[in-house]
Amino acid sequence: MKINKYPQKEIWPELVKRPVIKREQLTELIAGIFNEVDKNGDQALIDFNKKFDKAEIKNIKVSEEEIEISENLISQELKFAIQQAKENITKFHASQISEIQKIETTKGVVCWRENRAIEKVGIYIPGGTAPLFSTVLMLAIPAQLAGCKEIILCTPPDKNGNINPAILYTAKLCGVTKIFKIGGAQAIAAMTLGTESIPNVYKIFGPGNQYVVAAKEFAQKYNVAIDMPAGPSEVLVIADEQSIPEYCAADLLSQAEHGSDSQVIFISIDLKILEETIKEIVKQIKELPRNEFAQQSLKNSHFILLKSIDEALEFSNLYAPEHLILALKDFEKYITKIQNAGSVFLGNYSCESAGDYASGTNHTLPTNGFAKNYSGVSLDSFAKKITFQNLSQEGLQNLGKTIEIMAEAEGLFAHKNAVSIRLK
Amino acid sequence: MKINKYPQKEIWPELVKRPVIKREQLTELIAGIFNEVDKNGDQALIDFNKKFDKAEIKNIKVSEEEIEISENLISQELKFAIQQAKENITKFHASQISEIQKIETTKGVVCWRENRAIEKVGIYIPGGTAPLFSTVLMLAIPAQLAGCKEIILCTPPDKNGNINPAILYTAKLCGVTKIFKIGGAQAIAAMTLGTESIPNVYKIFGPGNQYVVAAKEFAQKYNVAIDMPAGPSEVLVIADEQSIPEYCAADLLSQAEHGSDSQVIFISIDLKILEETIKEIVKQIKELPRNEFAQQSLKNSHFILLKSIDEALEFSNLYAPEHLILALKDFEKYITKIQNAGSVFLGNYSCESAGDYASGTNHTLPTNGFAKNYSGVSLDSFAKKITFQNLSQEGLQNLGKTIEIMAEAEGLFAHKNAVSIRLK
């Protein structure tokens, strides 16, 4: 962890570059998996489970019984926690429901938008080192609020053919309609193409490894939409002379433990705080079970000393972090200067974990600089907005001439005629 | 034009299939163009102009003088029409600006969203048979309303190196910051990569031919976002015994004249109206300058007799049309049954041309069945929504335990520690 003191603006573009992820050329492999699932349906999935997840499963659909039992397999304490998180996430996402607003743009011409849920959506929850039931909350809650009729979930089974009970419990609590024991690219293929038991969906959400990411990209060739382009998780923390190094270090480490490709950036305008935060990291990291990930991830990271918070925000806007923490007492005055970020955490008590789990905001956010051009997941991600218009006879009289002139100028006479014939 | 009477539901999936567009494998060609633009910048663009558009141009940037002059090259009448359209489009899109709404999800935990414009956007306007200044309105107005700082526009020059004055006039009127004489895949490459004169942008909007479509797809590899996936334009009209065949025919033809790959679907629950509409089409089509396109496009089209409006809407939701016209007097009661459509036109006086030009709604809409999972362009397309949260000490005390329990259950102890260290 080397401190970069007052880097010249010329080298900022170097500093904001993400670590290059070696992406193998997976297209052929993925196409093969899609082809197999298309041809052999459920049987292909059963075979893939055996091959990739070493699980021998007859029924890929999780049974009602398995879901019921899950409730008894997790602690009361965890159930309460999941319920409190659900309440907050529901409150925040429900506040995003918009009223229909009819606008009379010209007398007799009324236009408005109405939301319609995407009818069928798929959620992918990875297996691996952590059972991400929090991601189930973040995706199933807005899907249910939006009114999606079919909300299916795919997640890989363990070797014994089981799914983590916290995932099953959360899925049931949040209105997931069907759960399937299937992971990897084959899960994405199944949700794209449909099989005997798995319905095809119109949009696929959720994180995953490089195979899942490549499969989501591939799925788009079949006109399926996806939540957003993927990249490793990241945080940028901005501190001043009043920030608390212990807290800053904890926040940086909570990002670093995600995986060896996570990136953390720490910017301080005070050298002492910068040095003390590094000391705190060295101290706190020893206690972490995921110490190795964190160590690896810190190698990709930057500790930067800048002159002012304004300059720090300029850097941050160039980097466009997934998570931005303003570890500042007087954060208020800087909010309008934030241009590019996925989610922002303000002040000493707003740790990233709060948003990751339970404050109410969504944790599915744009990474890899995509905060410049994408929003995180919200209620809108599960619905389309349809525009409506109604012109009365008077409305068309008021607007008709304009339409006729414009259509003619574009050389589109049938467009013009659709008006003329009505005004005759 | 053959009438399909009461088709069985089993064959509906056949009927809603779009005509298959032969897409040549363009990836290599497009990659070559991107490479050339990356290597040689402006000079590559000047060379491509010569090669593809037969235009010898020294300055690819449209000069202030050219823009000033454009105002004198179009009629007063057209200017007034463009201004009225601008007013309506502005009114409707301004109504989409959302207020900041702070939500206290738990006592001391406040979450909200704020909009930030995408800083740099690019608009592509095709050349070809029609000078699409209406698309300039539809893209530049919301871009300016959203607050995009850089709004650039690329459009191919004619053989004399000129741009249609209506495009220049509209671009200036709507706050486009820079206009470039460059078309095709090379324009998309330039906006993606940037050159000496053309700034790179974060999101690219606008229609185009197969090269432009392929280039927009390719641009995403460089982390540029695009408005939406592309497909030929289409309309579905639903009629009953009270509908007016003359109007229905005019609307169907206004879609059919777009291009030979456009698709029109007419559903009536009354055979007489269906037959008369076809007669009207035969009559009206003779008068059209773009007769050939319309003839071709009608070959891809369906004229369907169904039993009820409910059944017609069921078909329409399966088809998911870009434009849906309910040519019905009592349209009100059917609105909630519309599930998948880009934009809906209600009643006898709401012709598609109104929305194409001047009513206020956006005409950049999802085609090819994408109305199942995508919205049309709106103010939101030019902005990101950033989530914010502020937890007070009390807020973290109220929520901390929940976060700790969930983090521990996911095996993420640094996430837990970020809370524990603050509650100590």
Side-chain angles (χ1 to χ4, degrees):
Chain A
M1 289 179 283
K2 229 178 57 188
I3 297 175
N4 199 329
K5 286 182 191 168
Y6 307 118
Q8 296 294 309
K9 284 202 182 161
E10 291 70 47
I11 72 151
W12 285 17
E14 264 317 303
L15 291 174
V16 302
K17 270 193 192 156
R18 267 60 176 184
V20 178
I21 310 298
K22 257 192 250 157
R23 263 212 204 158
E24 290 170 56
Q25 211 20 279
L26 297 174
T27 314
E28 242 176 85
L29 178 71
I30 300 294
I33 290 174
F34 270 66
N35 192 33
E36 194 60 34
V37 172
D38 192 24
K39 228 171 45 193
N40 296 321
D42 284 349
Q43 189 55 51
L45 301 177
I46 289 166
D47 296 344
F48 281 129
N49 269 343
K50 204 165 153 185
K51 187 174 167 192
F52 294 130
D53 294 299
K54 316 289 171 222
E56 298 220 25
I57 295 169
K58 273 188 196 152
N59 284 316
I60 50 173
K61 186 164 184 287
V62 175
S63 68
E64 281 306 313
E65 205 195 337
E66 284 173 284
I67 297 172
E68 293 305 328
I69 288 171
S70 72
E71 211 179 315
N72 307 322
L73 298 177
I74 59 174
S75 70
Q76 204 56 40
E77 193 182 56
L78 180 57
K79 276 188 271 188
F80 281 146
I82 290 172
Q83 285 161 18
Q84 191 187 13
K86 178 177 184 256
E87 263 176 50
N88 284 352
I89 298 163
T90 301
K91 261 187 224 166
F92 186 61
H93 288 76
S95 78
Q96 295 162 16
I97 296 171
S98 51
E99 297 281 306
I100 294 173
Q101 206 188 346
K102 295 199 175 181
I103 307 293
E104 190 165 36
T105 54
T106 290
K107 194 152 170 40
V109 180
V110 181
C111 305
W112 70 96
R113 300 194 295 170
E114 294 191 21
N115 285 325
R116 294 291 185 275
I118 298 175
E119 285 176 284
K120 304 192 282 179
V121 298
I123 296 173
Y124 183 76
I125 301 293
T129 53
L132 298 179
F133 58 84
S134 62
T135 304
V136 181
L137 288 166
M138 295 295 173
L139 298 175
I141 290 173
Q144 197 183 25
L145 274 173
C148 303
K149 276 183 210 153
E150 186 86 270
I151 306 168
I152 70 171
L153 187 151
C154 289
T155 190
D158 64 21
K159 281 176 195 166
N160 304 315
N162 296 321
I163 306 288
N164 183 292
I167 289 180
L168 294 182
Y169 171 77
T170 309
K172 191 197 168 190
L173 186 72
C174 300
V176 169
T177 50
K178 291 180 185 112
I179 309 171
F180 299 97
K181 297 175 183 176
I182 174 80
Q186 55 274 24
I188 306 301
M191 294 194 278
T192 302
L193 304 163
T195 69
E196 302 93 308
S197 16
I198 306 187
N200 74 311
V201 300
Y202 300 148
K203 191 167 183 178
I204 297 174
F205 295 80
N209 62 20
Q210 58 171 334
Y211 299 98
V212 171
V213 167
K216 282 173 69 182
E217 208 168 288
F218 195 80
Q220 294 180 82
K221 291 188 203 297
Y222 296 84
N223 296 356
V224 167
I226 64 168
D227 44 4
M228 69 183 80
S233 196
E234 61 207 18
V235 71
L236 188 150
V237 178
I238 296 178
D240 65 7
E241 60 288 342
Q242 293 192 60
S243 300
I244 301 163
E246 227 184 332
Y247 299 178
C248 293
D251 289 337
L252 294 165
L253 284 170
S254 79
Q255 189 56 55
E257 79 169 338
H258 266 297
S260 50
D261 55 2
S262 294
Q263 198 182 26
V264 307
I265 295 188
F266 185 59
I267 301 178
S268 173
I269 59 167
D270 183 279
L271 182 60
K272 199 166 146 256
I273 296 288
L274 194 46
E275 288 170 341
E276 281 176 17
T277 300
I278 290 177
K279 268 187 219 156
E280 267 295 325
I281 289 177
V282 174
K283 193 173 126 195
Q284 291 179 25
I285 202 170
K286 289 181 194 144
E287 310 296 320
L288 294 181
R290 293 170 73 96
N291 178 300
E292 248 176 81
F293 284 137
Q295 295 280 10
Q296 270 299 329
S297 145
L298 285 174
K299 285 186 192 157
N300 302 326
S301 301
H302 296 300
F303 293 81
I304 302 170
L305 185 68
L306 290 178
K307 282 187 190 132
S308 66
I309 298 299
D310 280 342
E311 207 182 29
L313 285 170
E314 199 184 328
F315 185 96
S316 175
N317 285 333
L318 191 68
Y319 180 75
E322 180 191 11
H323 305 97
L324 170 61
I325 300 179
L326 297 192
L328 311 170
K329 271 196 183 148
D330 56 346
F331 55 79
E332 290 281 3
K333 62 182 176 190
Y334 297 110
I335 289 176
T336 57
K337 293 180 179 166
I338 297 166
Q339 174 62 37
N340 301 319
S343 195
V344 184
F345 300 77
L346 301 164
N348 282 329
Y349 291 95
S350 306
C351 51
E352 194 201 302
S353 322
D356 286 341
Y357 288 109
S359 63
T361 59
N362 207 291
H363 79 198
T364 308
L365 296 165
T367 54
N368 201 29
F370 284 115
K372 285 179 182 160
N373 41 14
Y374 287 85
S375 307
V377 162
S378 70
L379 192 71
D380 293 340
S381 312
F382 296 88
K384 306 105 43 183
K385 285 183 200 297
I386 302 180
T387 50
F388 288 82
Q389 62 201 283
N390 176 235
L391 284 78
S392 65
Q393 191 170 11
E394 188 198 356
L396 192 64
Q397 269 156 3
N398 290 334
L399 201 56
K401 190 80 190 147
T402 282
I403 302 167
E404 289 178 317
I405 292 167
M406 290 174 78
E408 187 169 338
E410 286 194 351
L412 298 174
F413 285 85
H415 282 66
K416 182 186 178 186
N417 189 49
V419 174
S420 316
I421 213 163
R422 286 168 161 99
L423 292 182
K424 238 181 9 197
Chain B
M1 288 179 285
K2 230 179 54 189
I3 296 175
N4 198 330
K5 286 182 191 168
Y6 308 117
Q8 296 295 308
K9 284 205 181 159
E10 291 70 48
I11 73 150
W12 285 17
E14 263 318 301
L15 291 174
V16 302
K17 270 193 191 157
R18 268 61 177 183
V20 178
I21 309 299
K22 255 191 253 161
R23 262 210 204 159
E24 290 170 57
Q25 213 17 280
L26 296 174
T27 315
E28 241 174 86
L29 179 72
I30 301 294
I33 289 174
F34 269 67
N35 192 32
E36 194 60 36
V37 172
D38 193 24
K39 226 169 51 192
N40 297 321
D42 284 349
Q43 189 55 50
L45 301 176
I46 290 167
D47 295 345
F48 281 128
N49 270 342
K50 204 165 153 184
K51 186 174 170 191
F52 294 129
D53 295 299
K54 317 287 172 222
E56 300 219 25
I57 295 169
K58 274 189 196 151
N59 284 316
I60 50 174
K61 185 163 185 287
V62 174
S63 69
E64 280 308 311
E65 206 195 335
E66 284 173 283
I67 296 171
E68 292 305 326
I69 288 170
S70 69
E71 211 178 316
N72 307 321
L73 299 177
I74 59 175
S75 70
Q76 204 56 42
E77 194 183 54
L78 181 56
K79 275 187 274 188
F80 281 145
I82 291 172
Q83 284 160 20
Q84 192 187 11
K86 179 179 183 253
E87 262 175 52
N88 285 351
I89 297 164
T90 301
K91 261 186 225 165
F92 186 61
H93 288 76
S95 78
Q96 296 162 16
I97 296 172
S98 52
E99 296 282 305
I100 294 173
Q101 206 188 346
K102 295 197 177 184
I103 307 294
E104 190 165 36
T105 54
T106 289
K107 195 153 170 41
V109 180
V110 181
C111 304
W112 70 96
R113 300 195 297 171
E114 295 192 21
N115 285 325
R116 293 291 185 275
I118 298 174
E119 285 177 283
K120 306 193 282 180
V121 298
I123 297 173
Y124 183 75
I125 300 293
T129 52
L132 298 179
F133 57 85
S134 62
T135 304
V136 181
L137 288 167
M138 296 296 172
L139 298 175
I141 290 173
Q144 197 182 24
L145 274 173
C148 302
K149 277 183 206 150
E150 186 87 88
I151 306 168
I152 70 171
L153 187 152
C154 290
T155 190
D158 65 19
K159 281 175 195 165
N160 304 314
N162 296 321
I163 306 289
N164 184 291
I167 289 179
L168 295 183
Y169 172 77
T170 310
K172 191 197 167 188
L173 187 71
C174 301
V176 169
T177 50
K178 293 181 185 110
I179 308 170
F180 300 97
K181 297 175 182 176
I182 174 79
Q186 55 275 21
I188 307 301
M191 293 195 278
T192 302
L193 304 162
T195 68
E196 302 91 309
S197 15
I198 305 187
N200 73 312
V201 300
Y202 301 148
K203 192 166 182 178
I204 297 174
F205 296 79
N209 62 19
Q210 57 171 334
Y211 299 98
V212 171
V213 166
K216 280 173 71 182
E217 207 168 287
F218 196 80
Q220 294 180 82
K221 290 188 203 297
Y222 296 84
N223 296 354
V224 167
I226 64 168
D227 44 3
M228 69 184 78
S233 197
E234 59 205 19
V235 72
L236 188 149
V237 179
I238 295 177
D240 65 8
E241 60 289 342
Q242 293 191 61
S243 301
I244 301 162
E246 227 184 334
Y247 299 178
C248 293
D251 289 336
L252 293 166
L253 284 170
S254 78
Q255 189 56 54
E257 79 169 338
H258 266 297
S260 51
D261 55 2
S262 293
Q263 199 182 24
V264 308
I265 295 190
F266 185 58
I267 301 177
S268 174
I269 57 167
D270 183 276
L271 182 60
K272 198 165 148 259
I273 296 289
L274 194 47
E275 289 169 340
E276 281 176 17
T277 300
I278 290 175
K279 269 187 218 154
E280 268 295 324
I281 289 177
V282 174
K283 193 174 126 194
Q284 291 180 25
I285 202 169
K286 289 181 195 145
E287 310 296 321
L288 295 180
R290 292 169 72 97
N291 180 298
E292 249 176 83
F293 284 136
Q295 296 279 12
Q296 270 298 332
S297 145
L298 286 173
K299 285 186 193 156
N300 303 326
S301 298
H302 297 300
F303 292 80
I304 303 171
L305 185 68
L306 290 178
K307 282 186 190 135
S308 66
I309 299 298
D310 279 341
E311 208 181 29
L313 285 171
E314 199 185 328
F315 186 96
S316 175
N317 286 332
L318 191 67
Y319 180 75
E322 180 191 11
H323 305 97
L324 170 62
I325 300 180
L326 297 193
L328 312 170
K329 271 195 184 150
D330 55 346
F331 56 79
E332 289 281 2
K333 62 181 175 191
Y334 297 110
I335 289 177
T336 56
K337 292 180 179 166
I338 298 167
Q339 173 64 34
N340 301 318
S343 197
V344 184
F345 300 77
L346 301 164
N348 282 329
Y349 291 94
S350 306
C351 51
E352 193 201 304
S353 324
D356 286 342
Y357 288 110
S359 63
T361 59
N362 208 291
H363 79 198
T364 308
L365 295 166
T367 54
N368 200 30
F370 285 115
K372 285 180 182 160
N373 41 15
Y374 288 86
S375 308
V377 162
S378 71
L379 192 70
D380 294 339
S381 312
F382 296 89
K384 306 105 45 182
K385 285 184 201 293
I386 302 179
T387 49
F388 288 82
Q389 62 200 282
N390 176 233
L391 284 78
S392 64
Q393 190 170 9
E394 188 196 354
L396 193 63
Q397 268 156 3
N398 289 334
L399 201 56
K401 189 80 193 150
T402 282
I403 303 167
E404 288 178 317
I405 291 167
M406 291 174 77
E408 188 170 337
E410 286 194 352
L412 297 174
F413 286 86
H415 282 65
K416 181 185 179 188
N417 189 51
V419 174
S420 315
I421 213 163
R422 284 168 162 99
L423 292 183
K424 244 183 0 197

